[in-house]
Amino acid sequence: AQSVTQLDSQVPVFEEAPVELRCNYSSSVSVYLFWYVQYPNQGLQLLLKYLSGSTLVKGINGFEAEFNKSQTSFHLRKPSVHISDTAEYFCAVNAGGTSYGKLTFGQGTILTVHP
Amino acid sequence: GAGVSQSPSNKVTEKGKDVELRCDPISGHTALYWYRQSLGQGLEFLIYFQGNSAPDKSGLPSDRFSAERTGGSVSTLTIQRTQQEDSAVYLCASSLGGTNTDTQYFGPGTRLTVL
């Protein structure tokens, strides 16, 4: 079975500073990895996903993530954050095979951007 | 185009009552997922539909929970004899084909409160 650990429950940061949200996963099989964002009172929106190929994945809103198989990590980064990036971020894994599209999520990281 | 819609947006019920939650997926999406988001458990997978059939019901927490999908479109999640621990936000998502790599599009959720 797979699991996802988001190492920080809350990350405060000042506007225009860089940010990294950490995600580690455990799985006995090859996985597909996703980052979703949830703005207040809204549903989840896909930021980016890693399926195969280049380990550096670029997503929407200037976010990127790097897949590291040896460290089983998929950390999310943004070089300069805006107030509008304040939201909760979820890392998720799909184990492939017969798991269909079932996603296993981490506990979420609340990113708060201060002016 | 229209996204995933869910109704009602909020539902308050008394312990022991039955509730029905509705999800309208994006038109043309064959796959539909239900997830539950609660403070204690985070985001959990409940059930997956491909067309009208449910190949994966592994996340349903008890036999009080059931779901159906008719006409390959609208889905209803029913919780019988609700308990306080059922209080959560119930999220519905749909994807085009239901493969492991498809992007899931989430609705805004139904917030269920059991008194």
Side-chain angles (χ1 to χ4, degrees), chain A residues 12-92:
Chain A
V13 64
F14 287 107
E15 193 174 18
E16 298 183 5
V19 70
E20 178 180 81
L21 306 184
R22 297 179 294 167
C23 172
N24 285 89
Y25 68 93
S26 66
S27 175
S28 58
V29 297
S30 296
V31 297
Y32 305 109
L33 294 155
F34 303 78
W35 274 100
Y36 279 85
V37 60
Q38 186 175 34
Y39 298 104
N41 301 314
Q42 294 186 29
L44 278 73
Q45 178 184 3
L46 181 72
L47 276 176
L48 48 80
K49 59 184 176 182
Y50 172 78
L51 306 179
S52 65
S54 172
T55 58
L56 183 63
V57 181
K58 294 190 182 296
I60 62 171
N61 301 340
F63 284 94
E64 63 182 32
E66 183 147 24
F67 170 62
N68 188 318
K69 187 174 182 178
S70 62
Q71 297 187 7
T72 59
S73 68
F74 190 54
H75 300 333
L76 181 71
R77 302 186 184 102
K78 186 169 182 178
S80 175
V81 294
H82 300 158
I83 298 287
S84 59
D85 293 324
T86 294
E88 188 162 17
Y89 293 78
F90 293 92
C91 182

Side-chain angles (χ1 to χ4, degrees), chain B residues 5-67:
Chain B
S5 61
Q6 294 185 245
S7 61
S9 55
N10 280 284
K11 177 72 177 178
V12 180
T13 190
E14 293 179 348
K15 178 181 171 181
K17 301 281 190 183
D18 297 352
V19 295
E20 286 189 351
L21 312 179
R22 176 187 168 103
C23 172
D24 277 281
I26 293 172
S27 178
H29 281 194
T30 63
L32 186 147
Y33 304 81
W34 283 99
Y35 294 87
R36 179 169 72 172
Q37 185 175 23
S38 58
L39 282 176
Q41 302 297 322
L43 262 162
E44 307 170 280
F45 166 82
L46 296 178
I47 187 169
Y48 157 69
F49 285 94
Q50 180 59 251
N52 291 337
S53 64
D56 190 347
K57 306 178 184 179
S58 62
L60 294 178
S62 75
D63 58 9
R64 296 187 296 105
F65 287 72
S66 62

Side-chain angles (χ1 to χ4, degrees), chain A residues 82-113:
Chain A
H82 300 158
I83 298 287
S84 59
D85 293 324
T86 294
E88 188 162 17
Y89 293 78
F90 293 92
C91 182
V93 63
N94 174 279
T98 57
S99 65
Y100 306 104
K102 172 181 172 181
L103 294 174
T104 299
F105 286 90
Q107 291 295 313
T109 298
I110 297 173
L111 173 65
T112 305
V113 181

Side-chain angles (χ1 to χ4, degrees), chain B residues 58-77:
Chain B
S58 62
L60 294 178
S62 75
D63 58 9
R64 296 187 296 105
F65 287 72
S66 62
E68 64 175 13
R69 189 179 185 196
T70 54
S73 182
V74 171
S75 176
T76 302
L77 177 68

